[in-house]
Amino acid sequence: WVVLIGLPNQHAIELLLHWWPQKPLPRTLLDWIIRVRPYLPASDGANLLALPLYVTATVGVAMAWTRRRTQERGQWMLIGAAIGWVVLGIGFLVLTAYRPNRYVVPLLPPLAMLGGIGVAWLLERCPAGARRFAAIAFVAALVAPGVVLWGGWASMASSRLPAIQDELLELMNDGPAAE
């Protein structure tokens, strides 16, 4: 990133950081807690939608820790990279003053990677005949919040766009209507 984006666009990045809202760094553990607490419910719903991933990722990290002696080096590198990705991403969210829900999106892949470890561990504990059903139930629970949200949004969508486009074209061609 530094070589391909950071250095060639250094001036643009400095300009962006200049007008981005500044917030002092937390100094104590209490400052960190105070900074994190309001973000959790105020993430425009992103944390609620990502909750299944947070839960399964936590299970995945716990499972990886309990199996730390049997994990191969490559698996540990992948787990460490995913954990580092999540920690850095959450650190960025905690430190910034402006945190729209789209800033949570880069955290979803490592949460899914860690969640996959957790789901595999949970499915291993299911009876062999119930694994397929458990996997389908898990996927349904994972995608249900997003499907419900999207379905609600789609059902409330208006068909006003063609009228807005016509109004804009009218304004562009004739100018504002005289009153």
Side-chain angles (χ1 to χ4, degrees):
W1 184 89
V2 170
V3 172
L4 296 176
I5 297 168
L7 292 175
N9 299 302
Q10 186 175 1
H11 180 69
I13 292 170
E14 287 174 2
L15 201 63
L16 285 172
L17 292 176
H18 178 69
W19 57 265
W20 198 347
Q22 299 297 316
K23 208 171 206 183
L25 291 175
R27 293 188 180 153
T28 66
L29 180 60
L30 181 60
D31 289 343
W32 279 100
I33 293 169
I34 290 169
R35 179 81 57 94
V36 171
R37 192 189 59 73
Y39 172 69
L40 295 175
S43 64
D44 293 335
N47 286 324
L48 182 60
L49 288 173
L51 187 61
L53 284 174
Y54 288 134
V55 170
T56 55
T58 303
V59 171
V61 169
M63 190 282 306
W65 183 255
T66 61
R67 293 184 167 184
R68 65 187 174 273
R69 298 192 199 295
T70 61
Q71 299 283 350
E72 294 179 16
R73 186 175 190 280
Q75 291 172 323
W76 271 114
M77 289 177 66
L78 180 64
I79 292 167
I83 291 171
W85 187 349
V86 170
V87 168
L88 286 174
I90 290 175
F92 175 77
L93 288 171
V94 169
L95 290 176
T96 59
Y98 177 65
R99 304 179 281 214
N101 58 6
R102 68 181 173 268
Y103 284 12
V104 174
V105 173
L107 296 177
L108 301 182
L111 288 171
M113 290 163 46
L114 294 168
I117 296 167
V119 170
W121 180 74
L122 291 173
L123 290 177
E124 286 174 3
R125 274 134 187 81
C126 288
R131 285 187 186 154
R132 182 172 289 154
F133 175 75
I136 292 169
F138 170 74
V139 169
L142 187 65
V143 299
V147 169
V148 168
L149 181 68
W150 179 80
W153 173 80
S155 69
M156 302 296 288
S158 73
S159 59
R160 177 134 164 68
L161 182 60
I164 292 170
Q165 290 172 335
D166 290 341
E167 290 169 11
L168 182 62
L169 284 174
E170 184 179 317
L171 281 174
M172 289 172 54
N173 292 334
D174 301 331
E179 292 183 25

